[in-house]
Amino acid sequence: MAHPLYAMNPPPSYPRLARRLGKQGAVLLEVFVSASGMVEEVKVTTGSGHEILDEAALNTVRGWRFAAGLRNGRPAAMWVRVPVRFELRD
């Protein structure tokens, strides 16, 4: 299965307005990853309940790199689910 290269990818920036308003939540994204590990398509499967957080997750993950998944021992394009959490900490 394809998976994000977390060490290479920047985390989503917490939108200032969402932080100021105390908005938190988790976004579940469906990401279509090419055989070369590039994002070709991304969409929200389950939103956080706050559009500003959903958009921040989409915009960040669009630029991420992934380790491609394998089929029959060869890199292959595939869909993968990626959770993104926005939590305010004291």
Side-chain angles (χ1 to χ4, degrees):
M1 175 170 283
H3 60 275
L5 298 172
Y6 288 111
M8 294 176 57
N9 297 322
S13 296
Y14 213 118
R16 287 184 198 187
L17 179 60
R19 184 181 295 279
R20 190 170 60 231
L21 296 174
K23 305 289 184 190
Q24 300 184 92
V27 182
L28 182 60
L29 301 174
E30 287 271 341
V31 182
F32 191 72
V33 179
S34 72
S36 65
M38 302 297 293
V39 173
E40 293 195 2
E41 187 177 342
V42 61
K43 58 187 175 181
V44 174
T45 298
T46 306
S48 65
H50 308 289
E51 188 175 340
I52 193 169
L53 297 179
D54 298 350
E55 286 297 320
L58 281 167
N59 290 335
T60 299
V61 173
R62 276 186 186 112
W64 278 10
R65 291 294 312 253
F66 285 71
L70 300 176
R71 277 199 194 102
N72 299 321
R74 303 180 92 161
M78 64 184 59
W79 285 97
V80 63
R81 290 186 176 192
V82 177
V84 179
R85 289 183 182 82
F86 291 93
E87 292 180 355
L88 293 170
R89 300 176 190 222
D90 295 334

